[in-house]
Amino acid sequence: MKTQRLATRAAAGTMIVAFALTGCSSGGSGDGQTPEAEGQTAESAEAQNDSGNDESGDAETGDDDASSDDDAEDTKSQDSTTTSSSGLAADADLSKESPSVAPKDAIATAKEEANDGTVHGIELDFDERDKAWQYEVKVIDGSTDFDVEIDAETGDVVNTEKDSSDDKEEAIDLNDPMTFDEALKLAQDEASGRLDGWKLESDDNRIEYQFDFGDKGDEIEVSVDVESKKVTVDD
């Protein structure tokens, strides 16, 4: 009987220890969560923080991209402004530079404006009123003499005037019997300086080039007869 009582007491002690261990395990979590659950919660919070930081970074990147686009647009706008105002300067030397519109194209435009009449004069110089290089092309059609002004950079007709005339003007030719370059070379043998303007016209039964040079404040006018190649200097 004594042996049976000892066994019973030992079993009861074992149960008490087991219950005590179970209680300690439950109390360790504090709020009822297991350590594994707490670890998962911490990881989730960290993931959310990382996600927030990524979104913030993306937003900053987007701002940078937008700023880059704005800078690109500003640069493009500046380039356009520069391109749109480009062309011959008011003090350009026509012996070294030429406007966008060639003389032959200005003549073609003037003939369309003047019923495809006879071209008897063309002049290129800087118009102080319009602040632009302009061609002045003279075309006669029957008894009507047209004076057509054309922008030398855009090719647009600026103005057209008409007068009655009984003159029988001779047609001019930019290449025959003398080209612009040939006439300019003859003129430069007699004068120097910046070429401010030039013209080719029929006048008093002769056709001649006229070149206007600016040399140290002085204006020198040189005429070249296309038939005789005679050079005349008027200063």
Side-chain angles (χ1 to χ4, degrees):
M1 292 294 292
K2 184 177 180 180
T3 302
Q4 186 176 3
R5 284 195 301 270
L6 289 174
T8 300
R9 290 177 181 175
T14 301
M15 292 178 64
I16 292 171
V17 173
F19 278 117
L21 292 174
T22 303
C24 290
S25 177
S26 296
S29 63
D31 56 0
Q33 291 183 342
T34 64
E36 290 81 5
E38 289 181 353
Q40 293 174 355
T41 301
E43 291 177 356
S44 298
E46 184 177 356
Q48 290 177 353
N49 289 334
D50 290 342
S51 176
N53 290 335
D54 290 342
E55 291 178 355
S56 175
D58 290 342
E60 291 177 358
T61 301
D63 291 340
D64 291 341
D65 291 342
S67 177
S68 298
D69 290 341
D70 291 340
D71 291 342
E73 287 297 327
D74 290 341
T75 301
K76 182 177 180 181
S77 177
Q78 291 174 359
D79 290 343
S80 298
T81 301
T82 302
T83 302
S84 63
S85 62
S86 64
L88 288 181
D91 60 350
D93 186 347
L94 297 179
S95 66
K96 301 176 181 178
E97 302 177 82
S98 300
S100 299
V101 178
K104 65 178 182 178
D105 295 327
I107 287 176
T109 298
K111 292 187 70 172
E112 290 180 3
E113 191 77 7
N115 305 320
D116 200 31
T118 300
V119 178
H120 62 93
I122 180 172
E123 180 176 3
L124 173 63
D125 64 4
F126 188 79
D127 188 285
E128 291 292 345
R129 181 192 61 191
D130 294 336
K131 301 299 181 184
W133 286 96
Q134 293 178 356
Y135 286 103
E136 181 179 347
V137 184
K138 297 180 179 180
V139 186
I140 192 166
D141 176 46
S143 61
T144 303
D145 199 6
F146 293 81
D147 195 335
V148 185
E149 295 178 1
I150 300 168
D151 190 296
E153 292 298 333
T154 66
D156 296 332
V157 175
V158 177
N159 185 47
T160 300
E161 295 181 359
K162 301 178 184 179
D163 290 317
S164 296
S165 176
D166 295 329
D167 295 338
K168 302 298 180 181
E169 302 289 1
E170 291 186 63
I172 62 169
D173 191 314
L174 291 168
N175 297 307
D176 186 33
M178 181 181 290
T179 67
F180 173 88
D181 290 338
E182 291 171 341
L184 178 60
K185 186 177 184 303
L186 291 174
Q188 288 177 321
D189 288 340
E190 302 295 333
S192 61
R194 178 170 58 89
L195 182 59
D196 299 329
W198 63 268
K199 67 181 175 181
L200 172 63
E201 67 176 355
S202 170
D203 186 31
D204 294 333
N205 296 320
R206 76 172 182 273
I207 300 175
E208 65 180 18
Y209 277 98
Q210 179 179 302
F211 300 97
D212 297 324
F213 294 96
D215 186 14
K216 299 178 181 179
D218 296 328
E219 292 293 329
I220 302 175
E221 181 181 293
V222 181
S223 300
V224 180
D225 189 302
V226 299
E227 293 285 353
S228 67
K229 297 185 180 180
K230 180 180 178 180
V231 179
T232 304
V233 179
D234 183 5
D235 54 4

